[in-house]
Amino acid sequence: MNRKWKAAFCFWIAGLLLALASPAMAQTPSKAPSKAPAAKSSAKAKLLDLNSATKEELQALPGVGDAYSQKILDGRPYKMKTDLVRKKILPQATYDKIAGMVIAKQSTAAPATKAPASKAPPKGGLL
């Protein structure tokens, strides 16, 4: 093959590749950014606190009726939402339905502690 034929052959191959690639690149324009991050943050803001929710709010959760909501109230306070299963308040299947909808916030009150120990050295002792 001489140089002219090689150049023509390469030209046709390049054109063929361009023709095949252009439909793939001419896809429909992408949609606006999804609202998943916004939905995630708003869902996080709507988490139900197990330690402060009312009985009616708890009953609105899927699989939680009158009996389970009362058991949740009686089992307070919760350190973690998994305490619902650990303390046998809810069965695992019911917990799995509501796990993404609840949270166990800790109280903001400081825990009662003993008075701090004095840093003064003991009297009459050797130093």
Side-chain angles (χ1 to χ4, degrees):
M1 244 195 237
N2 66 17
R3 205 178 243 173
K4 235 182 189 180
W5 283 101
K6 284 183 182 178
F9 180 73
C10 288
F11 177 78
W12 282 102
I13 294 294
L16 180 63
L17 289 175
L18 185 61
L20 292 175
S22 61
M25 297 188 78
Q27 294 175 354
T28 58
S30 64
K31 296 177 182 175
S34 68
K35 294 183 180 180
K40 190 175 184 179
S41 64
S42 67
K44 195 172 189 177
K46 294 181 183 181
L47 291 176
L48 185 62
D49 180 20
L50 294 170
N51 290 320
S52 64
T54 66
K55 188 171 185 176
E56 291 76 25
E57 290 172 327
L58 292 169
Q59 287 176 346
L61 294 169
V64 178
D66 187 49
Y68 282 145
S69 62
Q70 188 59 50
K71 285 177 77 174
I72 292 170
L73 292 175
D74 294 341
R76 286 179 178 171
Y78 300 101
K79 291 182 180 180
M80 300 180 298
K81 63 184 178 180
T82 54
D83 287 350
L84 292 174
V85 176
R86 189 180 57 79
K87 292 181 176 183
K88 298 183 180 176
I89 305 236
L90 293 179
Q92 184 68 48
T94 304
Y95 173 77
D96 291 341
K97 291 179 188 176
I98 67 166
M101 302 175 194
V102 295
I103 191 169
K105 291 183 183 175
Q106 303 303 308
S107 95
T108 56
T113 59
K114 294 191 290 182
S118 172
K119 292 185 181 182
K123 293 182 181 179
L126 295 173
L127 293 178

